[in-house]
Amino acid sequence: MAITASRARGLPAAVVLLTGTVFSLIGLTWDVQWHSDVGPDTFFTLPHLFLYAGSAISGLAALTAVLATTAAHRAGAVPDPSLGGPPIRVFGRAFTAPLGYLVAGCGAASFLLYGLWDQWWHGLYGFDAVIDSPPHIGLLLSISATLVGTVVVFGAADEHRWGRIGALVSLAVLGAFDTVIVFAFKSLNGQVNAMHVAMAALMVLVLACATAFTRYGGVLMALGLAVIQAVTWWFSPWASRVYAEAVGLPMRDYAGQEPQLPALIPMSLVVVALLVHPLLTSRSRWAAPLAGAIAGGLLAGLQRPQSSWVFDGPLPPLQRVLLTALVGAVVGLVAAPAGRRFGRMLRLAGDRTPERN
Amino acid sequence: MRKLAVLLATAGLLVATAPAALAYEPVNVVHTEKVQAGPYAVTVGFSAWPVRAMQSLDFTFAVDGGIAGKSGSIVFLPAADPREAWDEPLARHPRQREVWGLDVRAMDEPGDYAMRFLIDGPAGPGVGELADLHVLDQPGPPLGLSWAVSSLPLVGLVVFLVLAWRRTKGRLIT
């Protein structure tokens, strides 16, 4: 069925915004792989350019949408919340910004500021030895804000099929991208693997949000994430190898070429999503926390066997895996109701009924 | 017209300076130490000295007679807790392929470390240690402050979600 002009209103800007976030995801997975397999780094490597371009494209899309909404509002038009979310008056009511574009744009602006801080950090600490340096986490969180804004922009158009599909795709991109943020929890690892618990919390949040947003949303989002995992599994080692050949750099000795970032995405997510779907869609008060506990426990507990399998490493003592699964279940218990609430909030993003303040 | 000229000049400067920015910096060793690992004499090079926690540097490990036909591994032993030791194979430095090395590496924690070399080659196996590698405290602001600054986008996201949560209360479709 062709998309008519009125149905497609808002689609171009939303697609450009999403394209920017996909650029960011490509740049991230490629850059992490590059450091692992090749090594030498400059400000202008191709993976870095993808990361900069991603935020630039998203930022310009957000700015354009805000300026267009402001101009229309000043000309007397009533802002339509389905075009990016409820209108927010900012800078002393000088601008009218659709909520999704406002959040996405703030993320892109914040990316610029953290980029400057990252440059200062390089001067003090040298080139980055690790992905989880404080400025990097600031940069990655800024992109995450842009991703959240993208989810809101598509969620606001949930009356259209493209809005529902776009929101689920954006949630999958958010889930794939934010796997890198769990690295920030590495220093907390002990008897319990904090990174695996954080990963479980993130996945339960997006799963519950997608399920509450639209019919079979959680399962469809998990399938989208699996597609992203499969594509980047092939892409990141391939792109690193081809780029290294193109610029005349050798691969590292002992570079295993296992996909680094894609290997972090839980492979069990689709099965877990199917398993907890009946609970997440149940009206019972305890169903969502129970679904979260089951999903959180399974996801946190299966992370270590997954990485041992991918990287051909030893399994830790069973006691540690079970303890991590238990903490994952507790965190999931809280994350699922929160995620479900976010999904319901998302359904209201394009609502035309006035808000109760 | 003037704006266009400025834009073109900026773009031209960017293109003209790009090759310099693209160049991968050579390894610049500023300090060396000698280690005897059995029959093998190893020169350990550091691209920054003294070594400070979290500050990245390049390590080079040059063996007299070259690395061809030789292999081995390096073990880092923290004096504070030897159970936290870690090892890795001796691999060629990506930007100086004629020697082994570690590129853009940082020691996470300050303190004393030993670097133990286990080398195998035509003259048989050999073990040697660089004892007392002293890693100074990290430079710059306290790490807690850096993390606080980095967490601001997360704080912003949480505030946004809390506001949205409160404003949608009572309107939710369940």
Side-chain angles (χ1 to χ4, degrees):
Chain A
M1 188 172 68
I3 296 173
T4 61
S6 69
R7 278 183 179 168
R9 260 185 84 209
L11 179 61
V15 167
V16 174
L17 184 65
L18 180 61
T19 305
T21 63
V22 171
F23 265 64
S24 300
L25 179 62
I26 291 170
L28 178 76
T29 181
W30 189 356
D31 193 43
V32 171
Q33 197 69 33
W34 175 263
H35 283 268
S36 160
D37 290 353
V38 188
D41 208 14
T42 71
F43 187 77
F44 287 110
T45 63
L46 259 184
H48 284 178
L49 291 178
F50 264 83
L51 277 166
Y52 311 145
S55 280
I57 292 168
S58 300
L60 288 173
L63 183 65
T64 309
V66 169
L67 291 178
T69 309
T70 303
H73 195 195
R74 286 194 175 183
V78 178
D80 179 357
S82 73
L83 299 175
I88 311 288
R89 308 296 298 272
V90 287
F91 293 129
R93 306 176 84 82
F95 293 93
T96 309
L99 181 63
Y101 287 108
L102 179 64
V103 174
C106 286
S110 165
F111 181 87
L112 276 179
L113 294 175
Y114 280 98
L116 291 174
W117 191 37
D118 194 38
Q119 282 298 96
W120 175 81
W121 189 270
H122 285 175
L124 194 60
Y125 289 99
F127 245 120
D128 297 297
V130 290
I131 181 82
D132 55 339
S133 68
H136 277 183
I137 294 297
L139 282 166
L140 298 168
L141 283 170
S142 301
I143 297 176
S144 302
T146 300
L147 280 159
V148 169
T150 311
V151 173
V152 175
V153 165
F154 280 100
D158 68 338
E159 61 190 345
H160 308 299
R161 187 188 288 175
W162 65 260
R164 295 191 294 276
I165 293 172
L168 294 180
V169 171
S170 310
L171 272 172
V173 174
L174 173 73
F177 188 91
D178 277 351
T179 52
V180 73
I181 291 189
V182 303
F183 274 114
F185 292 84
K186 195 174 68 187
S187 57
L188 301 177
N189 282 353
Q191 282 296 313
V192 172
N193 191 311
M195 278 177 66
H196 295 169
V197 172
M199 177 65 82
L202 168 70
M203 290 298 147
V204 172
L205 261 179
V206 289
L207 198 63
C209 177
T211 307
F213 171 67
T214 190
R215 218 163 155 234
Y216 292 104
V219 176
L220 292 170
M221 189 281 304
L223 282 169
L225 203 48
V227 170
I228 291 174
Q229 184 174 33
V231 172
T232 52
W233 195 282
W234 159 79
F235 171 78
S236 37
W238 172 82
S240 298
R241 197 174 58 248
V242 169
Y243 183 40
E245 280 169 14
V247 294
L249 282 171
M251 303 299 280
R252 281 184 194 279
D253 293 342
Y254 307 108
Q257 293 193 44
E258 293 94 351
Q260 298 292 317
L261 207 62
L264 289 176
I265 299 172
M267 293 173 177
S268 55
L269 193 65
V270 175
V271 176
V272 171
L274 281 167
L275 189 71
V276 299
H277 176 77
L279 281 172
L280 278 177
T281 48
S282 164
R283 286 180 175 272
S284 161
R285 194 177 164 195
W286 296 103
L290 182 62
I294 294 169
L298 283 172
L299 291 168
L302 289 171
Q303 275 300 87
R304 186 55 202 255
Q306 177 177 318
S307 63
S308 294
W309 176 63
V310 173
F311 296 104
D312 202 17
L315 272 173
L318 184 65
Q319 188 192 341
R320 248 188 226 191
V321 175
L322 290 178
L323 203 57
T324 300
L326 183 68
V327 179
V330 173
V331 171
L333 198 87
V334 182
R340 187 169 66 171
R341 176 72 185 249
F342 297 153
R344 288 173 178 172
M345 281 153 55
L346 193 57
R347 292 206 308 235
L348 294 179
D351 208 355
R352 291 189 180 86
T353 54
E355 285 184 24
R356 277 190 354 188
N357 290 318
Chain B
M1 196 63 200
R2 205 166 153 186
K3 276 183 187 168
L4 185 69
V6 171
L7 265 177
L8 283 175
T10 313
L13 270 172
L14 271 175
V15 171
T17 54
L22 271 168
Y24 297 99
E25 280 187 25
V27 180
N28 182 27
V29 172
V30 297
H31 179 82
T32 59
E33 297 277 347
K34 291 277 186 189
V35 176
Q36 192 64 39
Y40 311 106
V42 183
T43 305
V44 183
F46 301 84
S47 70
W49 193 262
V51 179
R52 293 174 195 278
M54 294 175 57
Q55 196 170 50
S56 67
L57 71 153
D58 289 287
F59 294 87
T60 58
F61 313 122
V63 185
D64 282 4
I67 57 171
K70 302 181 183 98
S71 63
S73 60
I74 181 171
V75 185
F76 283 88
L77 295 141
D81 188 359
R83 286 175 306 173
E84 295 289 314
W86 72 94
D87 68 324
E88 41 197 302
L90 285 166
R92 285 175 291 174
H93 192 291
R95 284 176 289 124
Q96 198 171 335
R97 302 278 285 172
E98 66 279 13
V99 297
W100 288 321
L102 303 171
D103 65 311
V104 202
R105 261 326 154 81
M107 306 295 282
D108 285 343
E109 301 286 338
D112 289 319
Y113 293 81
M115 293 165 77
R116 184 179 295 163
F117 294 87
L118 299 98
I119 299 175
D120 205 357
V127 179
E129 212 170 87
L130 173 66
D132 302 329
L133 170 65
H134 188 57
V135 178
L136 302 178
D137 287 340
Q138 60 151 115
L143 206 51
L145 180 64
S146 298
W147 278 117
V149 173
S150 282
S151 305
L152 290 177
L154 183 64
V155 174
L157 272 176
V158 170
V159 168
F160 158 66
L161 287 171
V162 168
L163 284 177
W165 188 297
R166 289 179 58 178
R167 290 182 76 114
T168 51
K169 209 173 179 180
R171 283 203 305 144
L172 287 175
I173 312 150
T174 51

